[in-house]
Every structure is written in C-alpha cells, then in structure tokens.
Amino acid sequence: MSLTLPERLRSAVFDCLRQAFRLLPMSQGTRDRWRQRFLGRFPGLVPSGPRGQHGQLANLRRARIRSDSPALGHVPYRRGTLPSPMPATLVAFYLPQFHTIPENDAWWGAGFTEWRNVARALPQFEGHAQPRLPADLGWYDLRNRQVMRDQARIAADYGVGAFCFYFYWFGGKTLLELPLEQWLADESITLSFCLCWANENWSRRWDGREHDILIGQRHDSDDDLAFIAYVARYLRDPRYLRVDGKPLLLVYRPGLLPDAAATAGRWRRWCRDNGIGEITIAYVQGFERPDPRQIGFDAAVEFPPNLSSPTNLTGRQRLLNPDYNGRVLDWRELAADYASRPMPAHRLFPAVNCGWDNEPRRPGQGRTYLHASPRAYRDWLRQTVHARLANVPAHDRLVFINAWNEWAEGAVLEPDARLGHAWLQATRDALHQELPTRQGHAGHACVVIHAWYPDVFAELLQELRQVDAGFRIVVTTSPELVPAMHAVASRAGTDLEIIEYENRGRDILPFLHVAGRLLDEGEQIVLKLHTKRSLHRPDGGSWRRELVGSLLSAERVPGILGAFAADSTLGLVAPEGHVQPLNFYWGANEDAARYLAVRAGIDPPDAERDEFIAGSMFWVRLEALRPLLDAHLDEWEFEPESGQVDGTFAHALERMFILAARHAGYRTITAAAAVGEDAVSRPYPYAKRS
C-alpha cells in the first residue's frame, strides 16, 4: 500500500534531518543520547514507513482452528552434554512480570500479569506467528516457587549460566520483587543471578518515554545510596554472579541518571565501606553506546535488537488487519550485524537475541523481526562465543541473551507451543566449538524416500542395492502403511529407518520434517526420492523411472557425490530434462509461491525467468534449503489429501527449492552436468504450459 503525500513529505524531511545528524562530528555515545532525547520529545516526527498490502480477506492465510500446534522445526526435550570447561557464561535477561501486584491491578485491571498481553495478541499479516503460547511451563504464576526451580533446572540443563533479573526500584519503592526474594530464600536453586536496575519510568505505552507516566524515577544522591543499600543483600548472596570475583550490577539506562559517574562513585564507596568490596558496574546498550569509562562504569552490555537498523519488510506483507500500523524488520540482518561487530577497546559483554515481536504489548502497532530461527540464532551465538570472545580473558567471557521469558516481546528461550525446545537446543549446540558433521562423499550419503506404493518402494530399494554406496536410508510413510513398508524392507534385506507422518503434503511435507532433523544431525548430502506414480497420467511410471534413472544409476552416483565434494557452492543436482520454466502450471500455484517467498524471506519469483524441478526428486546439500527449513511452516498450511493434481501448498513448495538454494548462495546443475555428460534438449512430455 503506497504512502499518502503528507506521509511521503514527513519521510523526506525526516531522512534529511537524519542525514544531517549523521554528518555532525560527535562520539557514538553523544549521538545516541541526542537521538533518544529527540525521539522522546518528538515521537510524532518519525515517519510511519511502508504499509503492508491489502488482500482478499477470504483467501488470506492464517490459522483458523488453533495457534498452538507444533510447526516444522519443533524440537522436544532432549538430554545432552555441555562442554567442559564452558567457553563462556551465558546470562539470560529475566522478566518477573508473571504474577499479580496491587499496582498493576490498579493500572491495568484486577488480575493483570504479562500473560494478559500475550493471550490477546492476534496475527496482523500472513505468516505472523501470534499468539505465541507457552509449552512445558504453562501459564505460570511466579508466586509458585516450583516454577522458578523448574526454570533454573531447564536453563542449567541447556547451558544458561545465570539469569539477569530486571529490578524495579522507584525512589525507595520496589515492584515485582517477590520472585527475586523467593529465589534468594530458596537454597535449592543453585543457578547464578544478577540484577539489572530498570531505571526508566513506567508509562502506559510500555516504552519508558515521558508520556502518561504510571510511576516515575527519583534520581538523586540520596536515592543512589538508598538503592545500593537495599540491593546489598542480593550482592552478598554466594550465588550472585561475579566477574573476576566482583558482583556484577547492571543499569538499564545510564543516560537517565543526572551524573552516572557520580552515582557509580557513590555505589563503589558504599560497597567498600560495608563489606561487599569492589563491584563491576555495567550498563545496557539499549538506547546509547558511550565508552563505559567515560561515565564511571566498568563495562557495557549489548542489547539487540536495539541500536540496529535492518531492512524494513512491511511493504512485502499481506495484511490480515487492514489497519495495521506496525513495522516488520529483517532479524537476519540484525544477527549478521551484531555477529560481525569488532570488539571495542573498552570492556564489552556481547549479547544475542532469540527473536523479537512486541505485538502483544502494542496491538496493531508492534515491531516484529521476521525470519528469526533457532539455527540462525545458534550460528550467531556460536560466532559470539567462539570468535568475538576469542581474545577476551576467561573471567570476562560473558554473553547475554535477550531474553529468557519476554513473552510479550517475542524474545523467549523457554519452550513454546510451536517450536518446543528448539531455542534451548540451539543454545546448547552453540556452546560446542563444532557442529556434528557427516561428510558427503562416495562412501556416505543419505537417501530420503517417501513411500506410498509398496511395489514401487521395493523397486527403489532394488535400485539402491545395485548402487551399493553405503547409504543411510530414511523412509517416510503414513501410519497405516508402516507394516507394509517394513515387510518390503525385510524382504529386501535393507537396513533403514521408517518414520510415520499423516498423509498430508504428499512427499514434500514429510521431506521437510526429515530434512530439518537430518541437518541438525550433521547430514550434508541427501537424495530425495518418492514412489511417484501420477495416476492421473498414463505415463506416470515412465516419469518416475526417468527421474530415478538420472539420479541413481550406479555409474552416476560417485560422480554426483564427487561434484558436491569438489564444489562447496553446489546446492542442488536435478535430473536433466526436468528443470522446467516456473510458468508451467504457474497460475494455480502463483499465490502460494509468492506467499512462500515472503515467508522464507527470499526474492519474489519471476515466472518467466526462474525454474523448478518437476517431479521433486533431486540431490541436495541440506544447507541450501535453510531458507525453507528456517521458515517454520505450519502443517495446517498443507491441504488435506483429496487427490489434487496441482495447486496445493505442496505443489507451490515444489517450485521453491531452486529459489531457496539460490538465496542461500548455492547453485543448481543437472545430474548430467555433474558427471560431465551432455543432455539432449526436448519438449517436456510430462506437463503442459499454462
């Protein structure tokens, strides 16, 4: 949807002001401070940005039955090992907003907790995963001490070394302190913790700015001393997180202090005079980035997604809410930006982020970071732990995670209904220096077969036996067909793994399920086959045999695997003659294919230029499919099976494999080209142009 003339003018003026501001000679800390003052005083000058697209509401894609079903990429609880010694201490920000207090009852209504915001959220555009709902820990109440015991146990199991509690102090009054007091009193909880003084005002807009203040701060010298004396009982606890032996105390927004250096000096003197000793004072880079030494602090803590400007994707989204006025940004750019930042000369504790979407707090006006995925978060965290901190002393190797349980801001490590323990599993995996890897060469590869017809399945096993390449074989089939497929495998004497899935999404949905699991297990090269018959065509059997013969002949397999080994940019090997223009049957699949491109964050398909692999059999480097696997599609998006021959979600996905691989930086070639053979050009006999 295009912007109105006043909006375009406001955007142009704002861009001119921003460019002029960037040219002013000043430090990064000063620049950040001026920016926040300007935005705090003149929020209405910020342009709204691009608007989403309006579609036909009857055809929009959204969950209509329930929003708590597992998506592709869901990971159950798994036991696992952690490296010893740990390469860094992971510290997750922790929100104590999940219990009632009288103040929230008065401000927001009786019984209010953050769960009320979470539950009210609605998806605003296609692919918007709202509401995000809890799984294993449920809609917990932090007045129940067992909840925090369970949280600490889960966190430690997956490699989180400490929680950083937001601490709410307002001139001698504390709010939401009960969970922290219970933690302090419960010696059975051994996980470390620290405090982050959230020293901004509470406002009705949930943004801490100077509008409609519910309770304000009182920053002065007396308040500094009263604060440090009050939190001393926490600093003295043996479980309190220490850096080089010194308790670590964070301040969320030091720029709000009249004189941050004077405040830090008062705290240090009080701690020395009262038996605590030296402390480490750090600030959070949520709004500003001064050198901590310039404000009397010891260190800074990164706070993504703040202070980063990824691409605005709002204009590509098709709206479910025609009045949506929020922003959709690219989380992948956020991760790449932070992961590549050099460590500064001053002391810095880097941070990572496991997604962000504050739609629950700002209905219809939220800030959503699309394309966050556990695998990409794992890569970001691994890069941070093992590369950015490579030259940092062991006692300073802290990495903060935003966040453990910011449910209303979409930054959550805790298990959720759609992805289960995926974020936690990614956290554990990132602590290891290397991912599990199985080399793809002539001696090892994996074959994934979707088996529907037992006789054709037997034929494929015979083909595989003739190749004799030591394949790992994984078979997907419907529950009612499992006994028949086991019988076929037994007669063939073939060792394989059979996984059952509902008869939904043809061969495509089961393959995506298995491909994601195999990728996490370290498999690299996979041959995708299925027992294709295409009963609506008289030549369906010939079509299958041609596909399989191109990909699985004993003469070709070593050459194909050798091509993958020799070229790290090779993503897909397709059967020659079956790479066809995308505009074959494009009309029935166009809408879903364009939706998939937006959902996976890849370039829009060009029906005249782009191609797809007809028949959906190919060799693939699984990394090339990351854009599709990390989109975490939902099973409800795949239509129930009713003999469709075209136009289903699975058919649209069939047209996306080459496009996804290209976006991920991988090439597609034919099997003939992989082994140095010439392919004969001919009219395609198995499909007609639209």
Side-chain angles (χ1 to χ4, degrees), residues 63 65-69 130-133 417-418:
I65 305 299
R66 55 190 299 176
S67 59
D68 62 343
S69 299
Q130 286 290 354
R132 185 172 181 181
L133 306 177
R418 290 190 75 244

Side-chain angles (χ1 to χ4, degrees), residues 48-174:
S48 57
R51 302 290 182 85
Q53 303 171 18
H54 289 188
Q56 298 296 321
L57 292 179
N59 299 322
L60 290 174
R61 298 177 181 274
R62 60 159 296 172
R64 300 181 186 277
I65 305 299
R66 55 190 299 176
S67 59
D68 62 343
S69 299
L72 273 74
H74 180 278
V75 175
Y77 169 79
R78 293 172 181 163
R79 294 187 180 277
T81 59
L82 295 169
S84 181
M86 293 282 276
T89 298
L90 305 185
V91 186
F93 284 104
Y94 184 100
L95 183 72
Q97 180 73 279
F98 299 96
H99 66 99
T100 58
I101 58 173
E103 292 79 4
N104 274 339
D105 285 348
W107 294 328
W108 304 105
F112 176 86
T113 74
E114 191 77 296
W115 293 126
R116 185 176 297 177
N117 287 333
V118 174
R120 74 179 179 179
L122 294 172
Q124 301 295 306
F125 49 87
E126 290 187 328
H128 190 197
Q130 286 290 354
R132 185 172 181 181
L133 306 177
D136 297 40
L137 295 171
W139 304 84
Y140 52 74
D141 186 333
L142 289 180
R143 291 174 295 187
N144 179 355
R145 297 190 181 198
Q146 187 58 43
V147 170
M148 302 187 78
R149 297 186 189 111
D150 291 341
Q151 289 175 320
R153 172 184 52 79
I154 294 171
D157 195 16
Y158 282 94
V160 176
F163 285 158
C164 183
F165 286 86
Y166 288 115
F167 189 77
Y168 301 101
W169 163 278
F170 301 90
K173 181 178 180 60
T174 61

Side-chain angles (χ1 to χ4, degrees), residues 229-251:
Y230 188 88
V231 301
R233 58 178 177 149
Y234 296 113
L235 303 181
R236 291 190 174 100
D237 190 90
R239 295 165 295 179
Y240 196 88
L241 182 64
R242 287 165 169 78
V243 178
D244 199 19
K246 305 169 187 176
L248 175 64
L249 179 61
L250 276 65
V251 177

Side-chain angles (χ1 to χ4, degrees), residues 503-681:
N503 181 24
R504 194 181 189 100
R506 303 289 174 88
D507 56 295
I508 301 295
L509 176 56
F511 174 72
L512 293 178
H513 273 298
V514 172
R517 196 193 83 180
L518 294 176
L519 179 60
D520 292 339
E521 291 176 0
E523 294 288 358
Q524 295 187 51
I525 309 302
V526 167
L527 171 60
K528 178 188 179 298
L529 302 173
H530 58 106
T531 58
K532 183 178 183 64
R533 266 195 170 154
S534 299
L535 297 178
H536 63 287
R537 299 188 59 89
D539 54 1
S542 299
W543 192 358
R544 178 191 71 252
R545 286 187 288 273
E546 191 173 307
L547 292 164
V548 174
S550 174
L551 299 169
L552 193 55
S553 69
E555 296 78 16
R556 282 189 169 188
V557 167
I560 292 173
L561 292 175
F564 276 110
D567 182 359
S568 62
T569 69
L570 180 56
L572 281 164
V573 173
E576 67 271 15
H578 297 269
V579 179
Q580 296 297 315
L582 196 59
N583 58 16
F584 276 28
Y585 290 109
W586 177 239
N589 302 293
E590 179 177 3
D591 184 74
R594 295 196 181 281
Y595 161 77
L596 279 165
V598 175
R599 184 75 179 272
I602 64 179
D603 293 334
D606 184 331
E608 299 302 320
R609 181 195 67 183
D610 290 326
E611 298 175 315
F612 76 105
I613 304 172
S616 67
M617 297 192 204
F618 45 77
W619 286 91
V620 62
R621 190 187 304 273
L622 290 178
E623 278 287 332
L625 299 185
R626 281 272 298 263
L628 294 177
L629 298 177
D630 289 350
H632 303 299
L633 302 173
D634 294 282
E635 290 199 9
W636 60 261
E637 300 185 83
F638 293 81
E639 300 86 349
E641 179 60 38
S642 60
Q644 306 97 318
V645 298
D646 193 34
T648 69
F649 200 59
H651 286 100
L653 265 162
E654 181 182 10
R655 286 150 174 80
M656 303 305 295
F657 290 118
I658 290 179
L659 305 184
R662 184 177 67 200
H663 181 86
Y666 292 94
R667 299 187 306 119
T668 298
I669 63 174
T670 67
V675 298
E677 297 179 7
D678 294 328
V680 178
S681 178

